[in-house]
Amino acid sequence: MARDTSLSLFDARKIFDEDYSDSDGDGFSNLFERAIGSDSLGPDNWKDLPFRPRSNDGKQRISFIRYVNPLATTGEEYLYHVEQSQNLRTWNSAGLVLERSIALGAGMERVIYATDTALPPAARRFLRLRITTP
């Protein structure tokens, strides 16, 4: 006998509203998309997503859009964590600095974080943006 695996309307709505859900199926959680000011229900604009600016100084960078004061602007509190790793298993924020902040209006800013030292030749380092709520 086949088992019914469909969701009730109540359960579907609950999952849809969960921060960990990916309502538009693009690989980013609803929480992540809300925290960068993107649309969790439709296609993302590539300009809204974090990216890695290039430079010739050997430092690594990550740039993303965030709320200056998310609680006042959205009614939610977001914590933005920029982290680095050499092995993709252990992550920490040591050695990363806010290099630049550009006001975009509507309570948003684009920020650029950089490693505080240049990466030695043939070395590997990975950067990521992690967003949490208190």
Side-chain angles (χ1 to χ4, degrees):
M1 177 181 219
R3 190 171 150 205
D4 183 12
T5 59
S6 62
L7 293 174
S8 70
L9 182 59
F10 173 79
D11 289 337
R13 282 184 179 152
K14 182 178 177 190
I15 290 171
F16 179 80
D17 290 335
E18 291 293 332
D19 288 343
Y20 64 82
S21 294
D22 177 9
S23 298
D24 57 4
D26 62 2
F28 297 102
S29 72
N30 293 344
L31 171 68
F32 185 87
E33 291 192 52
R34 283 195 321 271
I36 64 169
S38 190
D39 181 4
S40 63
L41 298 177
D44 296 313
N45 185 332
W46 65 270
K47 294 176 186 175
D48 295 339
L49 299 174
F51 70 93
R52 196 179 94 198
R54 303 247 184 232
S55 69
N56 294 327
D57 63 3
K59 294 182 180 183
Q60 289 186 289
R61 291 171 173 78
I62 186 169
S63 178
F64 59 95
I65 294 173
R66 70 179 180 188
Y67 287 97
V68 176
N69 185 344
L71 190 56
T73 307
T74 68
E76 295 186 84
E77 192 168 352
Y78 305 120
L79 304 173
Y80 301 89
H81 310 275
V82 178
E83 300 169 325
Q84 64 174 325
S85 174
Q86 293 180 3
N87 58 21
L88 295 175
R89 290 187 307 263
T90 56
W91 294 87
N92 66 68
S93 58
L96 294 166
V97 295
L98 176 61
E99 184 176 68
R100 188 171 180 198
S101 174
I102 304 161
L104 301 175
M108 305 289 288
E109 65 182 349
R110 174 165 290 284
V111 293
I112 300 172
Y113 279 81
T115 55
D116 58 4
T117 59
L119 188 64
R124 300 172 88 180
R125 192 176 304 153
F126 305 91
L127 300 181
R128 75 175 179 186
L129 168 63
R130 188 171 55 89
I131 299 171
T132 60
T133 57

